Amino acid sequence: MLIHTAALFAIVLYLAAAAALARPLLNGGQPLNGLALGLAGSAVVLHAAILLGAHRGALDLHFFAALSLVAFVVATLTLLVNLSRPVAALGVIVFPLTALLILIDSFVAPPTLPHTMDWQIKLHVTVALIAFSVLSMAAVLAILLAVQERALRHRQFSPWMRALPPLTLTETLLFRLIAAGFLLLTLTLVTGALFVDDLFGQHLAHKTILSIVAWLVFGVLLYGRWQHGWRGQRAVNLTLIGMATLGLAFFGSKFVLELVLHRPVG
């Protein structure tokens, strides 16, 4: 009951934070960044408590639990980004999605128990989840960048544009997130090679191959940016392709095995 109460409060706080940031869409005013960050900070703290309480303080890698954990990391990173470089639109998208995933994990998904893992595997999984979260934020920014470029090209200066930072700032933040995510994804592959007994074993072969493909996509994008100044639609497309591939690697098999075949895996 306590977990459910905390979940409801967290959901309300996340939605209220998103509404404060979405003020330009509602009445044309400026985003209420201070209020939004306070609400989001409280929601993140509650979200952490929910994850610790509902999953016994351990890494639960079942489908909805893992999604809620990723949402927590993304929401935390969104909060930190907005403390230094306000990107209101990022919170408008991330916080409601996080609220939805808390709702599903707390009230819809069946209870699950975390699998026992050695510290080496926990390290590998933790790095992988952070890498996925950082690159997920990059994918959201890529979509916002595409929307922003299209609006500027067609001279559509709608209230939504007030929630977006200058185009150059969006692009700079995008590539910084991709670079950080690429380094973390590299570390994920390295720790997997070192600590996972059979990296190409059952349920792991496709994850490994797709993760390597995503790593190559992001690596090519960063090389193209460094050597040829790639930007705009090419950067957006490659970011989304890389993220889609990584999403299949991380959650594709979990969805099929747990929700379609009803065969839970770690």
Side-chain angles (χ1 to χ4, degrees):
M1 181 62 70
L2 185 60
I3 295 294
H4 287 170
T5 302
L8 286 173
F9 274 110
I11 290 168
V12 170
L13 288 169
Y14 274 128
L15 293 177
L21 292 174
R23 191 183 179 203
L25 298 177
L26 302 176
N27 60 15
Q30 293 298 318
L32 300 174
N33 290 315
L35 175 62
L37 295 183
L39 293 168
S42 301
V44 164
V45 172
L46 271 178
H47 195 168
I50 293 164
L51 290 170
L52 290 172
H55 305 294
R56 293 171 169 79
L59 280 172
D60 191 339
L61 299 182
H62 291 86
F63 186 78
F64 290 114
L67 280 177
S68 182
L69 180 56
V70 167
F72 164 74
V73 177
V74 173
T76 302
L77 292 173
T78 299
L79 179 62
L80 293 175
V81 167
N82 273 280
L83 286 173
S84 57
R85 299 192 175 198
V87 187
L90 197 57
V92 172
I93 296 172
V94 168
F95 294 150
L97 286 176
T98 304
L100 175 62
L101 290 173
I102 292 177
L103 176 68
I104 294 172
D105 186 39
S106 300
F107 297 99
V108 179
T112 56
L113 291 174
H115 293 279
T116 302
M117 291 181 283
D118 296 332
W119 71 266
Q120 297 96 328
I121 301 301
K122 286 183 179 179
L123 175 63
H124 167 69
V125 169
T126 300
V127 174
L129 287 173
I130 296 173
F132 185 87
S133 301
V134 170
L135 291 169
S136 295
M137 283 186 64
V140 174
L141 273 180
I143 294 171
L144 293 177
L145 181 64
V147 170
Q148 199 170 6
E149 286 191 332
R150 178 181 174 82
L152 291 174
R153 209 165 37 240
H154 294 279
R155 299 176 181 267
Q156 296 173 344
F157 303 106
S158 63
W160 170 255
M161 296 295 287
R162 297 188 187 184
L164 294 171
L167 189 65
T168 54
L169 176 58
T170 305
E171 190 174 79
T172 299
L173 183 57
L174 169 65
F175 279 100
R176 286 182 179 177
L177 287 173
I178 292 173
F182 179 76
L183 290 175
L184 289 166
L185 187 56
T186 302
L187 188 56
T188 299
L189 294 173
V190 170
T191 55
L194 291 175
F195 300 142
V196 178
D197 292 333
D198 186 2
L199 202 60
F200 288 92
Q202 187 179 19
H203 304 323
L204 291 178
H206 79 282
K207 293 182 181 179
T208 305
I209 293 170
L210 288 172
S211 295
I212 292 172
V213 171
W215 181 83
L216 290 172
V217 171
F218 287 118
V220 167
L221 174 56
L222 289 172
Y223 178 81
R225 171 72 170 182
W226 174 51
Q227 286 291 330
H228 307 292
W230 287 358
R231 56 185 303 180
Q233 196 60 47
R234 176 179 289 172
V236 170
N237 291 340
L238 285 174
T239 302
L240 296 181
I241 289 170
M243 193 60 226
T245 306
L246 200 60
L248 287 174
F250 277 50
F251 288 102
S253 66
K254 286 186 178 297
F255 178 83
V256 173
L257 290 171
E258 293 187 30
L259 302 185
V260 178
L261 301 179
H262 304 290
R263 290 164 49 194
V265 294

